[in-house]
Amino acid sequence: MSIIIRVEDLRAVYLVREGTIKAADGISLDILENSVTAIVGESASGKSTIIEAMTKTLPPNGRILSGRVLYKGKDLLTMREEELRKIRWKEIALVPQAAQQSLNPTMKVIEHFKDTVEAHGVRWSHSELIEKASEKLRMVRLNPEAVLNSYPLQLSGGMKQRVLIALALLLDPVVLILDEPTSALDVLTQAHIIQLLKELKKMLKITLIFVTHDIAVAAELADKVAVIYGGNLVEYNSTFQIFKNPLHPYTRGLINSIMAVNADMSKVKPIPGDPPSLLNPPSGCRFHPRCEYAMEICKKEKPKWIRLDGEAHVACHLYEEGRPLK
Ligand SMILES: Nc1ncnc2c1ncn2[C@@H]1O[C@H](COP(=O)(O)OP(=O)(O)OP(=O)(O)O)[C@@H](O)[C@H]1O
Ligand SMILES: [Mg+2]
């Protein structure tokens, strides 16, 4: 599979009164064409920041300090706004976190479709619009006749999420990015959305990138998993390998914590300590204060992002020192 998006050493911060929040610090990641990639990490680890920096949709106090985001070989970060506008939605579509709240309660669903088309400079007649919107709504298993004339308030959370996915698919993007597509939904509705995304993956030739704090959702859907801790990418591997043989001590901790829900409670081993402050992150490896394998070097030097066998990437001194986790 070829690489469709290559992220190189991406660094993004937020400017706040107290200083800078180092929310994405040196992220490098290759996204494979027609694959499903999950970006996984606990709350406030920087998942949305990575997505927003990649798509240049950071909030006004966000700043990209360095890096490149190559899409078909072109850097999205240095591209002229006009050129980027041609790619947004038509090639790369994003459903941001909590996008449900951005649906305008005074506008019917059809008007949201109309707005999207107009905002991206596409000229369709009214009947074309209805036809394409209906096609996408059917694709997400909604009844267009009922939904197009509804107001957002008349739809359930799961239906709104489907409408947002249909809107994102409207211009047939090559890459679809979803930030927390299943959070804020009840468990059953979550399962339906996961099922839908699986169907879309089969039905369409599309590259899917999604963010989740729930590694179990990643296990269900993703081909590859990128694990974020405290604004750093710590591991990237095939989903199979992430679960079979987690390399980073943090990934291992995360996996232990979900196994506990499904199986033997006596094996629960929560990771001691708290997530780091991104205003004043720990020196060296940001995970070192919580890591049972921490060595002197971990306090001093940030581990390099290294490639091991096959698709495995990890940032951990154990591997630089040739002492892999057993
Ligand atoms: N606009 C902002 N201004 C200041 N700090 C911000 C801003 N947005 C996010 N942050 C901070 O940056 C860090 C990373 O936030 P981010 O939203 O990327 O995390 P996340 O992994 O997506 O979390 P969640 O799972 O809760 O969505 C957090 O410490 C967060 O508080
Ligand atoms: Mg987020």
Side-chain angles (χ1 to χ4, degrees):
M1 269 194 270
S2 56
I3 296 166
I4 185 151
I5 297 182
R6 162 164 280 181
V7 180
E8 284 177 0
D9 198 29
L10 185 61
R11 261 166 239 276
V13 298
Y14 297 103
L15 308 180
V16 291
R17 209 157 21 99
E18 300 78 12
T20 55
I21 297 191
K22 290 115 195 137
D25 193 58
I27 306 294
S28 297
L29 191 66
D30 284 341
I31 305 290
L32 301 180
E33 196 167 15
N34 297 331
S35 70
V36 182
T37 304
I39 298 182
V40 176
E42 59 202 320
S43 186
S45 56
K47 304 179 298 293
S48 297
T49 305
I50 294 173
I51 293 303
E52 290 167 14
M54 282 169 64
T55 50
K56 281 187 93 177
T57 55
L58 283 170
N61 67 331
R63 298 283 181 281
I64 295 173
L65 300 186
S66 72
R68 299 204 298 171
V69 178
L70 301 173
Y71 169 69
K72 296 184 177 167
K74 279 193 180 170
D75 186 4
L76 298 179
L77 301 185
T78 54
M79 205 176 258
R80 278 179 302 132
E81 193 50 37
E82 199 186 312
E83 213 176 334
L84 194 57
R85 217 175 306 134
K86 287 187 196 143
I87 291 180
R88 279 210 185 110
W89 225 267
K90 292 177 195 148
E91 298 199 36
I92 303 179
L94 165 68
V95 181
Q97 189 166 5
Q100 291 195 11
Q101 276 124 15
S102 68
L103 290 171
N104 184 335
T106 66
M107 278 167 53
K108 287 182 175 175
V109 169
I110 179 66
E111 294 169 81
H112 286 87
F113 278 93
K114 188 163 176 256
D115 257 21
T116 302
V117 165
E118 284 171 3
H120 296 90
V122 175
R123 285 160 200 270
W124 284 341
S125 66
H126 190 67
S127 57
E128 262 178 309
L129 175 71
I130 302 279
E131 190 188 315
K132 304 250 184 180
S134 303
E135 176 199 325
K136 302 305 178 200
L137 287 169
R138 275 192 289 270
M139 219 176 243
V140 299
R141 308 273 174 257
L142 287 174
N143 174 359
E145 283 78 45
V147 170
L148 281 172
N149 282 311
S150 301
Y151 288 96
L153 281 174
Q154 295 170 294
L155 306 174
S156 69
M159 287 166 90
K160 277 189 255 187
Q161 194 61 28
R162 285 168 196 264
V163 166
L164 290 164
I165 296 171
L167 272 170
L169 292 174
L170 188 59
L171 305 181
D172 301 312
V174 184
V175 180
L176 174 62
I177 307 179
L178 304 161
D179 193 348
E180 297 278 8
T182 63
S183 59
L185 299 174
D186 63 77
V187 176
L188 195 61
T189 312
Q190 271 190 24
H192 286 140
I193 296 288
I194 293 171
Q195 185 54 37
L196 169 69
L197 294 173
K198 280 186 185 166
E199 285 172 22
L200 289 177
K201 178 191 163 186
K202 271 197 209 141
M203 206 177 348
L204 306 170
K205 268 188 106 192
I206 200 160
T207 304
L208 201 61
I209 303 173
F210 75 99
V211 164
T212 178
H213 59 270
D214 186 347
I215 197 166
V217 173
E220 277 273 319
L221 197 58
D223 302 313
K224 293 193 76 166
V225 177
V227 182
I228 311 293
Y229 180 80
N232 288 142
L233 199 54
V234 297
E235 182 164 352
Y236 185 40
N237 209 343
S238 67
T239 308
F240 180 75
Q241 286 298 340
I242 285 272
F243 282 87
K244 181 167 168 254
N245 181 28
L247 299 169
H248 197 283
Y250 175 65
T251 315
R252 190 168 285 194
L254 259 190
I255 289 173
N256 280 341
S257 64
I258 67 150
M259 293 309 182
V261 177
N262 299 325
D264 183 356
M265 286 301 280
S266 67
K267 289 196 183 140
V268 188
K269 215 174 144 205
I271 308 169
D274 297 312
S277 149
L278 297 182
L279 192 57
N280 292 303
S283 58
C285 171
R286 290 183 178 180
F287 188 58
H288 88 255
R290 299 173 77 184
C291 181
E292 59 181 299
Y293 306 94
M295 304 173 283
E296 259 327 288
I297 190 170
C298 306
K299 298 179 194 161
K300 295 184 189 137
E301 277 179 38
K302 183 179 171 180
K304 293 193 187 77
W305 184 233
I306 48 176
R307 183 175 187 164
L308 303 173
D309 303 339
E311 296 173 83
H313 286 77
V314 69
C316 174
H317 285 294
L318 290 172
Y319 297 84
E320 286 183 57
E321 306 254 314
R323 293 163 56 189
L325 263 193
K326 294 265 159 34

